[in-house]
Structure formats: C-alpha cells, structure tokens
Amino acid sequence: MPVVIQSRSADEAEWSDEVWRRTHFEAYVVAKNKAKLTGRIYRLVDEDGAVLEEVRHLGSSFKR
C-alpha cells in the first residue's frame, strides 16, 4: 500500500506532498529522518487519504 509523506512547518496551515514510499515502515523512517534534518512536521497518508501518523522531531539529536 503506497504511503504519501506530507509536510508543513509549525506556522503553516496547508500540508504539501513530498514523496511516497511503498510501505508504512519505509515512509515512517524517511519522515523521521527528514523531521530531524528540517524541523518540519510530517504526516503519513494512505492511498484513501486517511492520515496514518504524524511525525515530529522533538529535541536535539546531538548530545555533548
């Protein structure tokens, strides 16, 4: 089942389609990594338009 990855920043109201992946797991891994890099909010949407999950990165991945 294809899963679309959409994103938006915290101050945007509209979601933008970015890419799609073949499985929920693949889409989740991509969205989680993109959230770490960009700080944007991502969500995973199935082919019927249902939101499967919202992915955010909270905190810094670099510890000193």
Side-chain angles (χ1 to χ4, degrees):
M1 161 180 76
V3 177
V4 176
I5 300 171
Q6 298 179 331
S7 74
R8 69 177 177 89
S9 67
D11 60 346
E12 293 176 327
E14 297 292 319
W15 292 92
S16 300
D17 289 353
E18 289 210 359
V19 296
W20 66 272
R21 292 294 180 253
R22 293 178 202 223
T23 67
H24 185 156
F25 178 75
E26 289 175 2
Y28 175 80
V29 170
V30 170
K32 189 68 170 173
N33 286 328
K34 285 174 139 305
K36 283 181 187 178
L37 291 171
T38 66
R40 292 175 65 83
I41 304 164
Y42 290 84
R43 72 178 183 180
L44 310 180
V45 180
D46 72 9
E47 59 192 5
D48 297 324
V51 176
L52 303 172
E53 187 168 2
E54 192 169 286
V55 180
R56 299 170 183 245
H57 177 69
L58 303 174
S60 175
S61 59
F62 298 104
K63 306 267 185 206
R64 291 188 187 245

